[in-house]
Amino acid sequence: MAGIDYIERIPNNVSLAENRRLLRALEDWQPKFLEWWRDMGPDGFQAKDVYLRTATSVDAKGWAQFGYTRMPDYRWGIFLAEPEADRQINFGEHQGQPAWQEVPGEYRGTLRRLIVTQGDTEPASVEQQRHLGRTCPSLYDLRNLFQVNVEEGRHLWAMVYLLDAHFGRDGREESEALLQRRSGDHDKPRILGAFNERTPDWLSFFMFCFFTDRDGKYQLASLAESGFDPLSRTCRFMLTEEAHHMFVGESGVGRIVQRACEIMREHKTDDVRRYGGVDLPTIQKYINFHCSVSLDLFGSEVSTNAANFYTMGLKGRFEETKRKDDHRLKDGTYPVVTVTGDQIVTRDEPALVSLNERLRDDYVADCQRGVNRWNEIIKSHGIDFTLKLPHRGFRRAIGAFAEVKVSPDGRIISEAEWDARHRDWLPTEEDEAYVASLMQGVTERGKVAGWIAPPARGINSQPTDFEYVRLG
Ligand SMILES: [Fe+2]
Ligand SMILES: [Fe+2]
């Protein structure tokens, strides 16, 4: 593949060797990144060989090279999807103009903020997940956790590349700040709420990958439409990696669901906990929690910021170019679910200010497809139970529903009813303590913890009992 430099430490296809200024900036940042990785990356296992996928180029052969690597030696590279010849800006007031290769001066601050906000989520999730290795249910899962972690690290690199290459001194300062904020820290928290929550156990981890990484997919997909071409190409390549993170989430929860069903059938009981599984009602509570936290990431239903990002040509809709309209949204409307008094209503709002809600709708539909597949597992065991996404107004902290209490089935309820019922809807301390009690690390080759079914197949055509992490 032409144009790819195999610089020893930073594989890339951005001609890093020829861009001395950028190379210097990244060489200066790299030791700080490694220091952050040592302090805030996976706790333990740093000296172990992990069977990881590394991207060494963006073509079919290079983007998924598998082999054993110690995590600190992972080659965090910088990759942009191949350029589209004569790419244009596809929406907003610059529609039809050539895509920008440099940052347009008037949008500099806005664009930087968008990139920093996305970039901040990447190290945040590594921090949230750093203690999980010790309680892994199998070597297969341990490897998947670390794969997600190193790729989130690479996504940080991707955003830092954009900041360093295109935003000068401000960009370099932002790159440093990305290593200084800490998930859950009172004084210097990560920017977005969901990225300051704890991920204390593997059920939470799989839910996070399913719901919160999926928010990432939709944000990246909208940024992949950007008129700022380097951002578009960066995000397009990140999306290829993100797919695996959602696979980890969906299949992880699916295996826990499967194990619960097996126990229910085998012992003819609903008392799954008695046999060391996670019961379906508890899984439902975790869905309610992680879905509601992730829905907030899309922002307010009606948002002039979202409208501006669109009009400026910086952030499009999900699959913008596949949509058949004027791509300017000057006159159209969009149905938005909101609150009027004590009623939940659907109201037509101007399409341009409803872009957050539209993206949230795309996201919810995608989540529902995954939940349907979990329900297929339940059905295949002949069990009468349906997992559901909570109503989008449930437990929201941002937007129209922030001021009201909404039940998972979508009724506005009183404080009194909330107080009486929320323990039925969200994980309680007892639920969390129970899940925590299951978290005993299983690292014997081919063995899997009793609360989760074994994976259906291995990684990269390896058997499921492959030595995914060499602990010896
Ligand atoms: Fe990511
Ligand atoms: Fe991710």
Side-chain angles (χ1 to χ4, degrees):
M1 171 127 273
I4 293 180
D5 302 312
Y6 292 96
I7 289 188
E8 184 56 29
R9 301 297 300 273
I10 313 174
N12 71 92
N13 68 345
V14 295
S15 308
L16 203 48
E18 283 124 64
N19 190 339
R20 304 311 296 179
R21 200 182 48 76
L22 174 62
L23 184 59
R24 259 202 312 280
L26 290 172
E27 280 173 347
D28 181 55
W29 186 79
Q30 187 185 43
K32 296 169 191 163
F33 168 81
L34 286 172
E35 197 179 302
W36 167 82
W37 180 269
R38 226 183 15 250
D39 294 346
M40 295 311 295
D43 180 23
F45 307 98
Q46 296 274 2
K48 305 297 181 192
D49 280 326
V50 185
Y51 187 69
L52 291 173
R53 169 176 87 177
T54 305
T56 56
S57 70
V58 296
D59 59 344
K61 259 202 252 125
W63 93 270
Q65 298 274 351
F66 284 86
Y68 285 102
T69 315
R70 290 164 63 245
M71 285 185 278
D73 298 337
Y74 191 77
R75 293 165 77 226
W76 282 284
I78 297 167
F79 296 103
L80 277 56
E82 289 294 291
E84 242 174 70
D86 306 317
R87 182 165 177 266
Q88 295 188 340
I89 300 167
N90 295 312
F91 59 92
E93 67 186 8
H94 302 287
Q95 188 186 13
Q97 296 172 16
W100 300 299
Q101 299 305 324
E102 294 299 330
V103 177
E106 73 263 47
Y107 301 150
R108 195 180 170 82
T110 310
L111 202 45
R112 192 183 67 206
R113 197 73 205 147
L114 279 171
I115 292 168
V116 167
T117 305
Q118 177 60 42
D120 191 67
T121 67
E122 315 289 356
S125 63
V126 175
E127 292 167 0
Q128 287 168 294
Q129 296 161 14
R130 68 181 301 253
H131 297 297
L132 290 171
R134 307 226 179 253
T135 58
C136 66
S138 71
L139 286 185
Y140 165 90
D141 291 291
L142 186 63
R143 176 262 166 217
N144 283 351
L145 167 70
F146 294 155
Q147 183 71 56
V148 170
N149 291 160
V150 294
E151 283 176 351
E152 300 305 4
R154 204 200 67 74
H155 292 175
L156 172 60
W157 272 84
M159 293 296 123
V160 163
Y161 157 72
L162 291 174
L163 290 168
D164 281 356
H166 296 281
F167 293 86
R169 191 202 171 94
D170 300 352
R172 289 195 295 279
E173 281 170 12
E174 295 283 13
S175 299
E176 304 247 321
L178 284 166
L179 296 175
Q180 283 155 8
R181 287 183 288 272
R182 291 284 180 272
S183 175
D185 189 295
H186 277 295
D187 299 325
K188 36 175 190 165
R190 291 294 172 184
I191 295 169
L192 299 170
F195 294 89
N196 288 301
E197 298 284 350
R198 290 164 58 248
T199 311
D201 56 68
W202 281 75
L203 178 55
S204 301
F205 169 63
F206 292 134
M207 290 286 177
F208 183 96
C209 292
F210 183 86
F211 285 108
T212 309
D213 273 286
R214 192 179 313 273
D215 158 71
K217 167 184 164 183
Y218 280 82
Q219 301 302 336
L220 291 175
S222 327
L223 294 172
E225 303 288 344
S226 184
F228 180 47
D229 204 44
L231 175 60
S232 164
R233 291 172 58 202
T234 299
C235 290
R236 266 184 277 153
F237 187 69
M238 288 163 77
L239 281 166
T240 59
E241 294 166 319
E242 211 59 70
H244 176 67
H245 306 181
M246 278 167 291
F247 161 79
V248 169
E250 184 181 325
S251 60
V253 175
R255 288 160 55 208
I256 300 173
V257 167
Q258 187 186 327
R259 187 72 193 111
C261 294
E262 287 166 1
I263 291 172
M264 288 168 82
R265 239 177 30 167
E266 193 179 323
H267 299 282
K268 301 196 173 35
T269 180
D270 287 341
D271 190 1
V272 170
R273 291 191 184 189
R274 193 166 153 215
Y275 299 93
V278 184
D279 48 293
L280 299 176
T282 299
I283 294 172
Q284 178 64 60
K285 288 179 174 186
Y286 277 72
I287 291 174
N288 292 346
F289 176 80
H290 287 272
C291 183
S292 63
V293 163
S294 303
L295 287 172
D296 268 341
L297 291 169
F298 292 85
S300 291
E301 291 79 5
V302 173
S303 164
T304 47
N305 269 343
N308 290 337
F309 298 157
Y310 188 83
T311 301
M312 293 169 175
L314 304 180
K315 183 179 177 187
R317 288 171 293 178
F318 181 64
E319 299 190 325
E320 179 71 43
T321 47
K322 290 191 191 162
R323 300 189 188 245
K324 303 254 176 291
D325 55 28
D326 67 354
H327 302 279
R328 292 191 179 226
L329 306 179
K330 282 271 186 270
D331 325 298
T333 62
Y334 190 81
V336 170
V337 181
T338 185
V339 179
T340 313
D342 58 358
Q343 297 293 322
I344 295 177
V345 296
T346 303
R347 199 162 54 205
D348 282 338
E349 294 283 355
L352 198 52
V353 292
S354 308
L355 287 164
N356 285 345
E357 191 64 1
R358 187 191 291 254
L359 193 61
R360 188 165 17 237
D361 284 339
D362 292 329
Y363 168 81
V364 168
D366 200 23
C367 288
Q368 185 61 55
R369 286 189 283 273
V371 172
N372 291 347
R373 287 187 287 268
W374 295 336
N375 283 327
E376 285 302 316
I377 299 172
I378 301 175
K379 226 167 88 189
S380 74
H381 284 80
I383 292 167
D384 183 24
F385 190 99
T386 308
L387 294 168
K388 295 189 179 88
L389 294 176
H391 186 271
R392 72 181 61 208
F394 175 73
R395 201 184 159 276
R396 290 287 301 285
I398 289 173
F401 294 98
E403 301 304 319
V404 293
K405 291 280 187 284
V406 176
S407 62
D409 60 0
R411 290 172 299 115
I412 293 192
I413 57 174
S414 64
E415 288 284 342
E417 184 173 357
W418 175 265
D419 290 344
R421 297 292 310 278
H422 72 89
R423 294 174 55 86
D424 300 335
W425 298 331
L426 291 165
T428 62
E429 292 95 77
E430 289 83 0
D431 296 326
E432 288 172 3
Y434 174 69
V435 172
S437 77
L438 299 176
M439 299 296 125
Q440 315 282 341
V442 176
T443 53
E444 208 178 313
R445 199 172 150 179
K447 287 258 154 46
V448 181
W451 51 269
I452 186 168
R457 61 191 65 82
I459 293 295
N460 193 34
S461 309
Q462 299 290 358
T464 54
D465 66 352
F466 185 69
E467 193 174 17
Y468 287 105
V469 184
R470 284 183 178 145
L471 297 178

